[in-house]
Amino acid sequence: MCGADVNRLREITARHGQEHVLRFWDELSENQRRTLAEQIASMDWTALEKMKSVLKNKAAAPTDAIAPAPVENPSESETTTARNEGETAIRKGQVGVILVAGGQGSRLGFEGPKGCLPLAPITGATLFSIHCRKILALERKYGSKIPFYIMTSPSNDATTKTFFDQNSFFGLDPSRVMFFMQGMWPALDEHGRLILEDKGRLFMGPDGHGGILAALRKNGMLEDMTRRCLTTLFYFQVDNPLVEIADPVFIGLHRLKGADMSVKVCAKRDPDEGLGVVVLRNGRHAIVEYTELTKEQKHERLPDGRLKFLYGSVAIHVFSLDFLRAESERELPVHVAHKKVPFCNADGKIVKPDKPNAFKFEKFIFDALPDAKVVVNYVFKREDEFSPVKNSSGADSPATAQADMIAKFARWLNAAGWKVPSDANGKPKVKIEIDPCFALGPEDLKRKLSPSWKIDGDVLLA
Ligand code: UTP
C-alpha cells in the first residue's frame, strides 16, 4: 500500500473524526493494512453519522397514544377458506420462504451458526435440518417448488454454506436455496468513536434482522423472487424449531385480505413477558417493544379481565413481494444497545470490559409494519409453534425447546388415537421425534399411524 493510499485513508477518517483507527498503522503487516483499508473504504459513513446522532439525541420512544391492534381469530369455515387459498398459492409455486440466520447467537454461546445446533430430541438433527426437511416435506406434499432464501452475515456465511454442502442441502434442490449476506455495522464508544477489535481491524457486527430489506435488494434476491414468479414470502427466525413453515392458513389469510405484511401473534403469558405487542398508533400498525411499554400499559386490563395489550409478535411474518420491494428502498430506524465489546486500547492491549463500553446499532424488521396499509395479526397457539432457543440453559434453551417438541409430537399422537405415556402433570414420559418428511401435522400422522409402533426403553419406535 503506497503513501498516497494511506494519506487518502487519513483524510477520510479525519473527515469523520475517526483518525484514531489508524494509530497503529506503522506496526501493521501488509495483510492487516489491506483489511483495515478495506473496512474504511466500505464504511457506510452516512449510516455512521446517523448512529452518532442517535447516540447524541438518545431518541425517546414515541409517546403517541397506542391502542391494541385488531387480531384475526378465524372461525372454522374461515380457516378452511384460508387454508385452501394458501395451499393453492403453494401449489402454484407463488410462495417462497425467507430465513434470517445472520445473528451472532451470543446468549446461546454455541460455537458456529445457530442453525448448526443439534436439537431434535432423538436424532440430534440440527435446526437447519429441521427447517429444511419441513420445506422438503411441503414441496412433496404440494408437488411444488418452494424457493428458500437464507440470510447470513459475513461472520457465518462460509460456515453456513459449508454445512449445507456437507449435508447435501438436507435433501433440498440446491438451485432453490439462495444464501445472501446482510450488512455489517460498526460499534461506537461513548464519544462516538469507532472501536478497534485489534490493532488492524475495526469491530463490526451484523446490522440486525431489519438489515434484510436492504440485503434482499443489494444481493439481487428481489429480482430472483420476481423471476421465479413469487408473490408471497413466509419469514421466520432460525432459533424456533416449532415454526410451521409456510403455514397455508396464515398465507391464505394474508392473501385473502390483500395484506402487505402479516404477523403471527400469541397471548402473552403474563404482563411482564418480554414480547413486543401489536398496536395501532396514529391509525398505523406497529409493534411496541416490551421495554417501551409503561408499567401501567403492561398491566392494564379490559373489563373481562384480559390484558389490554395481550398479543405479542414472535417474528413470524408473511410479506407480499411488492411490499418487500417498496420497503427495501426505505430507511428503517436505527436502534441502539449498550453492550460489552472487547477492544484494543491506546497502548495496543486487548481489553475485555466488565461493564458495557460500546454502543451497537441494529435495524428491526418489524419497523416496516407502520408502512403496511393492510396487516393481518393472526392468533396462533404458542405451544404448537413457538419455542425459541436463545440461552444455553433455563428458559428458552435447547432443553425447553426439546421438551416442547416432544410435547407437540405427543399431542399429534394422542390426536391420532395413540396414548402417549405421561406423568401426573401430563408430561410425556417418552422421547418422541417425528421427521417432517414423515408427517407435517396430526392429519398426516393419523394416516400413517400403525399398530406396530411400540416403545423401546424411553424411545417410541415408528
Ligand atoms: P436474536 O435477536 O435472538 O439475536 O435474533 P441472535 O443473534 O440470534 O442472538 P443473541 O441476541 O446474540 O443472543 C433473532 C433472529 O434474527 C436473526 C437471528 O439469526 C435469529 O434468527 N438475526 C439477528 C439476523 O439474521 N441478523 C441480525 O443482525 C440479528
Side-chain angles (χ1 to χ4, degrees):
M1 183 152 294
C2 70
D5 293 335
V6 186
N7 289 342
R8 172 106 188 96
L9 292 178
R10 290 199 196 286
E11 189 198 308
I12 298 173
T13 51
R15 202 182 313 142
H16 297 279
Q18 306 290 349
E19 54 274 43
H20 66 284
V21 302
L22 294 168
R23 63 158 66 109
F24 301 109
W25 186 262
D26 295 340
E27 300 173 34
L28 301 182
S29 68
E30 215 24 62
N31 266 349
Q32 286 174 309
R33 287 180 177 182
R34 200 169 307 119
T35 304
L36 187 55
E38 275 167 16
Q39 284 189 307
I40 294 170
S42 60
M43 181 64 62
D44 181 346
W45 297 104
T46 316
L48 188 93
E49 291 308 322
K50 201 165 160 189
M51 291 170 206
K52 286 204 287 198
S53 87
V54 168
L55 272 193
K56 229 187 245 153
N57 305 320
K58 289 267 168 29
T63 50
D64 303 330
I66 52 169
V71 297
E72 295 284 331
N73 247 319
S75 65
E76 215 168 286
S77 76
E78 287 166 338
T79 302
T80 306
T81 311
R83 180 176 291 112
N84 288 340
E85 169 68 20
E87 289 184 339
T88 305
I90 297 173
R91 274 197 195 96
K92 284 186 178 163
Q94 296 173 343
V95 176
V97 170
I98 300 176
L99 166 63
V100 284
Q104 291 174 309
S106 39
R107 283 169 287 173
L108 181 63
F110 172 69
E111 192 64 41
K114 214 189 249 191
C116 305
L117 177 79
L119 192 68
I122 296 171
T123 62
T126 61
L127 276 162
F128 279 139
S129 165
I130 294 169
H131 299 323
C132 288
R133 290 194 61 82
K134 284 183 190 170
I135 295 176
L136 184 61
L138 285 164
E139 288 192 328
R140 287 179 182 165
K141 180 169 180 169
Y142 295 111
S144 65
K145 296 176 176 154
I146 303 181
F148 188 21
Y149 299 87
I150 303 175
M151 182 168 83
T152 59
S153 81
S155 325
N156 68 15
D157 184 69
T159 337
T160 304
K161 285 178 178 159
T162 306
F163 194 68
F164 269 71
D165 264 337
Q166 285 168 344
N167 288 282
S168 311
F169 283 69
F170 306 98
L172 291 175
D173 182 334
S175 71
R176 286 197 292 281
V177 181
M178 278 64 64
F179 297 95
F180 62 104
M181 275 191 272
Q182 67 179 109
M184 298 289 268
W185 270 354
L188 300 177
D189 68 14
E190 73 258 21
H191 306 294
R193 284 180 315 197
L194 292 166
I195 292 174
L196 281 172
E197 69 179 17
D198 61 40
K199 288 180 177 177
R201 189 189 289 271
L202 295 172
F203 173 87
M204 302 287 286
D207 60 359
H209 40 65
I212 191 169
L213 293 170
L216 283 172
R217 175 171 50 78
K218 287 183 189 158
N219 293 290
M221 294 298 127
L222 296 170
E223 280 147 34
D224 185 273
M225 291 169 181
T226 309
R227 204 169 44 245
R228 292 174 195 261
C229 301
L230 304 181
T231 57
T232 312
L233 282 307
F234 178 89
Y235 167 107
F236 73 107
Q237 301 191 332
V238 74
D239 52 23
N240 178 16
L242 296 192
V243 59
E244 296 286 335
I245 295 177
D247 168 9
V249 178
F250 188 28
I251 287 171
L253 283 172
H254 171 95
R255 289 168 62 97
L256 291 171
K257 301 265 174 189
D260 299 305
M261 173 172 176
S262 294
V263 185
K264 269 210 176 170
V265 295
C266 63
K268 280 171 62 164
R269 283 198 173 118
D270 60 70
D272 290 313
E273 188 182 2
L275 287 184
V277 293
V278 289
V279 304
L280 288 179
R281 178 188 278 140
N282 299 325
R284 288 159 174 246
H285 285 267
I287 289 176
V288 175
E289 280 192 272
Y290 160 82
T291 47
E292 288 177 10
L293 285 180
T294 63
K295 193 163 175 238
E296 290 68 39
Q297 285 169 329
K298 278 181 206 156
H299 289 263
E300 197 173 346
R301 293 197 180 261
L302 298 170
D304 65 6
R306 288 181 311 146
L307 286 178
K308 180 171 173 187
F309 294 102
L310 178 64
Y311 290 104
S313 163
V314 297
I316 299 174
H317 302 295
V318 175
F319 292 95
S320 77
L321 179 56
D322 289 342
F323 182 71
L324 276 183
R325 198 178 289 117
E327 281 302 293
S328 73
E329 301 285 350
R330 296 199 185 114
E331 289 287 320
L332 290 181
V334 175
H335 296 259
V336 59
H338 206 193
K339 296 267 168 96
K340 286 190 251 180
V341 169
F343 64 101
C344 175
N345 71 11
D347 302 327
K349 299 253 156 26
I350 306 298
V351 180
K352 275 197 171 167
D354 48 18
K355 54 181 190 326
N357 63 317
F359 294 94
K360 281 173 138 184
F361 301 86
E362 282 190 321
K363 292 178 272 188
F364 295 155
I365 188 66
F366 58 73
D367 280 325
L369 208 51
D371 293 330
K373 289 198 179 64
V374 183
V375 170
V376 171
N377 290 316
Y378 172 42
V379 180
F380 74 99
K381 265 207 209 145
R382 166 201 300 245
E383 65 270 28
D384 283 341
E385 299 181 38
F386 181 58
S387 184
V389 179
K390 300 283 185 193
N391 309 307
S392 58
S393 58
D396 294 342
S397 64
T400 55
Q402 279 186 353
D404 289 340
M405 289 168 86
I406 292 172
K408 174 174 176 169
F409 295 142
R411 285 193 295 279
W412 289 8
L413 284 162
N414 287 333
W418 211 83
K419 275 262 157 297
V420 175
S422 55
D423 67 16
N425 301 316
K427 209 172 143 241
K429 281 201 217 158
V430 287
K431 279 190 184 176
I432 313 166
E433 180 179 333
I434 298 173
D435 177 13
C437 289
F438 184 75
L440 265 176
E443 300 78 23
D444 293 347
L445 192 65
K446 199 166 186 175
R447 277 194 295 276
K448 295 188 174 170
L449 189 73
S450 155
S452 68
W453 293 5
K454 60 177 194 305
I455 291 175
D456 180 7
D458 64 351
V459 173
L460 170 67
L461 298 173

